[in-house]
Amino acid sequence: MDRVRNYSKELEKKIEGFRKDGVRPSLLLHACCAPCSSYCLEYLREDFEVTVFYYNPNITDKKEYEHRKSEEKRLIKDYNEEVERQDFTGMHSTERAARIGILDADYDPENWLQSVHGLETCPEGGERCGVCFSMRLKKTAEAAKAHGFSYFATTLTISPLKDAKRINDIGETVGRELGISYLPTDFKKKNGYQRSIELSGMYGLYRQNYCGCAFSKKESEEKRALKERTQTNALSD
């Protein structure tokens, strides 16, 4: 039987090694949105030189895409101001925290739609999502290698609806293929997801109710409508 990996503990041990050696590696972190990245950045800025890579062509609504990107930039601005002031009131951060950079990417939903063609009706978490993860992680890895980063990673593992093993397997495979180190994570562990909700409230972040693509939005809306009908019927019985 394969050993079940504890990605959270693996990351902790890696960070212990960095601190012991007195190094702070550079990390290109793929971020899907500000709420998900809030805890990841709070945690990682203590021991990495983090640059956020905003590459999300799955967000096929341009207005939604721009809104989420602007929220990501606003969060980074607020976090960097905390570092400059050395004021971490309400944060888990310390004086070790470093400024966070951002590397924007081209918005190419057409390429994404072509990649998932034929998978439009797959349920959330199915094959379409696997293609989507691979596409975004590969683009992040290519950018990390091109810009000389030590590692690349993603905030996607913070979601309780996403399988960290699946995401990390894809990341490690892409890293080996392109010759760039992938940083395995499981940010939902140690109350990471709950912390992201707290931080979203602290910073007034926009929290979307679907992953990003039109297909997941449709599925979300259908589930919500079914739940409302069920509740209405129960009240009328």
Side-chain angles (χ1 to χ4, degrees), residues 21 29 48 51 70 82 87 91 97 102 116 123 160 186 201 204 232:
D21 295 338
L29 179 70
F48 292 87
T51 296
S70 67
E82 291 169 357
D87 178 7
M91 300 296 290
I102 186 165
V116 301
D186 193 353
T232 300

Side-chain angles (χ1 to χ4, degrees), residues 52-235:
V52 165
F53 187 59
Y54 189 81
Y55 177 68
N56 299 292
N58 58 307
I59 306 174
T60 45
D61 183 303
K62 182 66 180 296
K63 184 177 180 180
E64 178 75 14
Y65 173 87
E66 293 295 345
H67 189 185
R68 295 191 194 187
K69 183 168 71 169
S70 67
E71 286 290 272
E72 185 70 43
K73 290 183 175 180
R74 179 169 70 86
L75 176 66
I76 292 171
K77 179 177 180 291
D78 287 347
Y79 273 15
N80 286 342
E81 288 178 353
E82 291 169 357
V83 171
E84 291 165 3
R85 298 193 309 266
Q86 285 292 288
D87 178 7
F88 303 111
T89 306
M91 300 296 290
H92 293 169
S93 301
T94 70
E95 67 278 358
R96 289 181 55 85
R99 286 181 54 85
I100 299 162
I102 186 165
L103 179 63
D104 210 345
D106 292 337
Y107 179 51
D108 58 347
E110 295 81 8
N111 188 22
W112 184 86
L113 287 168
Q114 184 177 359
S115 297
V116 301
H117 179 67
L119 303 173
E120 293 86 350
T121 60
C122 286
E124 186 77 10
E127 187 179 352
R128 184 185 68 244
C129 291
V131 172
C132 182
F133 298 156
S134 296
M135 181 178 179
R136 289 190 278 174
L137 283 169
K138 182 179 180 182
K139 189 77 169 183
T140 307
E142 290 173 343
K145 185 172 182 178
H147 291 274
F149 284 86
S150 305
Y151 294 91
F152 76 100
T154 180
T155 63
L156 290 169
T157 63
I158 199 169
S159 171
L161 301 178
K162 292 181 172 61
D163 182 359
K165 181 181 185 305
R166 183 186 193 187
I167 294 168
N168 287 323
D169 283 348
I170 292 171
E172 290 182 325
T173 298
V174 168
R176 285 193 298 270
E177 291 175 348
L178 295 180
I180 177 73
S181 296
Y182 173 74
L183 188 71
T185 64
D186 193 353
F187 289 120
K188 70 177 70 66
K189 298 294 186 180
K190 299 179 67 177
N191 294 318
Y193 178 68
Q194 182 58 40
R195 179 61 177 165
S196 75
I197 294 175
E198 294 172 1
L199 289 166
S200 294
M202 286 172 59
Y203 291 89
L205 300 177
Y206 163 64
R207 291 184 66 86
Q208 62 279 355
N209 57 13
Y210 69 102
C211 183
C213 73
F215 314 119
S216 67
K217 182 179 182 181
K218 180 181 178 182
E219 183 178 343
S220 176
E221 290 173 344
E222 290 174 347
K223 287 181 178 179
R224 191 159 53 249
L226 177 60
K227 182 178 180 180
E228 290 173 356
R229 287 197 301 271
T230 301
Q231 291 174 338
T232 300
N233 292 337
L235 290 173

